[in-house]
Amino acid sequence: MPFLGQDWRSPGWRWIKTEDGWKPYGPCGSECEDENSCLNSNIHSVILDNDDKIYSTDCESASKKRKKDHFRNNVNSQWFCREKWIYVHKESTKERHGYCTLGEAFNRLDFSSAIQDIRRFNYVVKLLQLIAKSQLTSLSGAAQKNYFNVLDKIVGKVLEDQYNPRLIKDLLQDLSSTLCILTSEGKSLLVGNINIWICRLETILLWQEQLSNLQMTKQVSRGLTLSDLPLCLLNNILHRFSDGRDIITLGQVTPTLYVLSENRQLWRKLCQYHFSEKQFCRHLILTEKGHIDWKLVYFALQKCYPIKEQYGDTLKFCRHCSILFWKDYHLALLLKDTGHPCTANDPNSCFVSVSPQHFIDLFKF
């Protein structure tokens, strides 16, 4: 094992304990400098049997220790990796040893910038939700810190922009349920001190309270509003939605939108988009007049079968290079950038979109 640091024969370093943690003071063998400039009002000198002086604070209570653990894992003091691509290798070869894990991929890919792009926002949130349900314990300690860093930025963005709060509420609900189970079973299932996870759980509960108290600000506009659009355009907007809950929410804005949101053909096309004919034929629900209630059929099918996922932009995987990357379409048009150092003759034919579940499956060995 290579030696990194000062000469092992030296007496070492003197450390002092401050409110921000332990900090190096200087070599033990050197003469002490001006003690008055180094001592804090909260630091006391203790003389040991070997006449060496070390500095420590008063004994802290258990509650203060929890605050200290939480400070060391403060989400605002962490660093984000800003790589656009990573090589996904699942086994050792003569040229490369080791393999890429889910935690390493989550650390190295630039998820903190991806949430600022509205096309990638829902994709990252869905990925975090899947990790919270089943893969949280497989992350390393650094990856778990980075996970909560990204989550903190997501909550801050939602509180500021009021963008899709329902999606974040579902994520926090799944995460809090997972942490409650893991913390009750014992700290052996989690990386790090149990006090850290208790503080994180308290933070999640605080975020949930902030989102539940979120009030949508009414925007004052003197120009054209949604209600001023023709009925054909409003109907076209409703047909663009792929989530039935969004259709119901928009229908609550005005009476006109409510009538359009109850259109049977709208819900029929939504059922045909997400489910096969064999699936919804098994769950047909009829009205009193004998017609099919496609709205009720949709929500009944949603409980039994997964719906199609739709994202503005996703991670890409190059089958030729085995590289996972974010593709910047602006650079691709201007500079013909493929997003990663690809060696294929036709790189675009090697790219495949990676769904959140596919991203997790890439690292299952």
Side-chain angles (χ1 to χ4, degrees), residues 172-347:
L172 294 179
Q173 181 62 37
D174 292 335
L175 183 57
S176 61
S177 300
T178 302
L179 287 184
C180 287
I181 296 174
L182 294 177
T183 53
S184 62
E185 291 181 357
K187 63 181 180 180
S188 59
L189 299 176
L190 297 167
V191 178
N193 194 306
I194 190 65
N195 292 326
I196 297 175
W197 288 101
I198 294 176
C199 290
R200 286 173 176 171
L201 183 58
E202 293 174 353
T203 303
I204 293 172
L205 297 178
L206 177 61
W207 287 338
Q208 289 178 317
E209 182 180 356
Q210 291 175 345
L211 290 174
S212 61
N213 297 329
L214 180 64
Q215 298 291 333
M216 298 294 180
T217 57
K218 186 177 181 180
Q219 298 182 357
V220 179
S221 177
R222 298 180 180 178
L224 188 67
T225 62
L226 187 65
S227 303
D228 299 328
L229 295 177
L231 293 179
C232 59
L233 290 181
L234 294 176
N235 192 42
N236 192 12
I237 292 174
L238 287 170
H239 278 79
R240 301 286 180 177
F241 288 173
S242 60
D243 193 335
R245 294 177 297 178
D246 293 331
I247 296 177
I248 293 177
T249 302
L250 185 59
Q252 296 173 352
V253 177
T254 62
T256 302
L257 288 172
Y258 175 76
V259 174
L260 294 175
S261 66
E262 294 295 322
N263 188 356
R264 292 178 59 251
Q265 295 299 324
L266 172 65
W267 291 99
R268 179 181 179 180
K269 290 183 178 180
L270 191 63
C271 290
Q272 293 174 343
Y273 172 75
H274 287 289
F275 311 105
S276 64
E277 184 177 356
K278 183 182 296 185
Q279 289 175 340
F280 61 72
C281 283
R282 298 175 181 175
H283 298 80
L284 292 180
I285 301 176
L286 301 180
T287 61
E288 295 179 354
K289 297 182 180 180
H291 301 296
I292 300 176
D293 194 334
W294 290 104
K295 181 178 179 180
L296 295 180
V297 169
Y298 169 79
F299 288 105
L301 290 170
Q302 192 180 28
K303 298 178 181 179
C304 302
Y305 309 103
I307 63 175
K308 290 183 179 179
E309 297 179 354
Q310 190 177 35
Y311 305 102
D313 191 16
T314 66
L315 283 167
K316 305 294 182 182
F317 181 75
C318 180
R319 293 172 293 183
H320 178 78
C321 307
S322 295
I323 286 179
L324 192 65
F325 64 97
W326 291 110
K327 185 176 181 180
D328 193 327
Y329 290 94
H330 296 288
L331 292 178
L333 292 175
L334 296 176
L335 305 176
K336 296 182 179 181
D337 183 25
T338 60
H340 74 286
C342 187
T343 58
N345 294 328
D346 187 9

